[in-house]
Amino acid sequence: MKAAYADPPYLGLAKEFYGDLHPNAAEYDDPMTHKRLIERLSDEYEAWALSTHVKALRAILNMCPEDVRVMAWVKGFASFKPG
């Protein structure tokens, strides 16, 4: 089985978080860049995973094949919140 994992700059946050680190980061603020990545993953791999953030999930899911499955990873604590 050929599998892949993609962790691109998150949709809508690429330039803000990666603009100083990578000259092409802003491309990932365009939904079509994510769509092309998903199409490539679907064409080239039997299984794949893609990381995104909660605010972009609805847009990203609309770009995925109908049989896609969603797995949520939840951080049960955050250091900025007391308790």
Side-chain angles (χ1 to χ4, degrees), residues 5-64:
Y5 170 67
D7 188 15
Y10 295 163
L11 180 61
L13 299 175
K15 187 174 180 182
E16 179 181 349
F17 288 109
Y18 301 100
D20 295 339
L21 303 173
H22 195 284
N24 299 330
E27 292 177 15
Y28 281 90
D29 281 334
D30 179 358
M32 291 310 294
T33 303
H34 290 271
K35 183 171 176 52
R36 287 190 297 272
L37 174 60
I38 291 166
E39 289 170 350
R40 181 176 166 212
L41 290 168
S42 296
D43 290 344
E44 296 180 19
Y45 298 93
E46 297 170 71
W48 53 271
L50 175 85
S51 289
T52 190
H53 67 123
V54 97
K55 291 182 180 180
L57 185 58
R58 185 174 307 275
I60 295 294
L61 280 175
N62 284 330
M63 300 174 198
C64 293

Side-chain angles (χ1 to χ4, degrees), residues 70-83:
V70 176
M71 183 183 89
W73 176 81
V74 179
K75 184 176 179 180
F77 67 92
S79 60
F80 62 88
K81 293 182 180 178

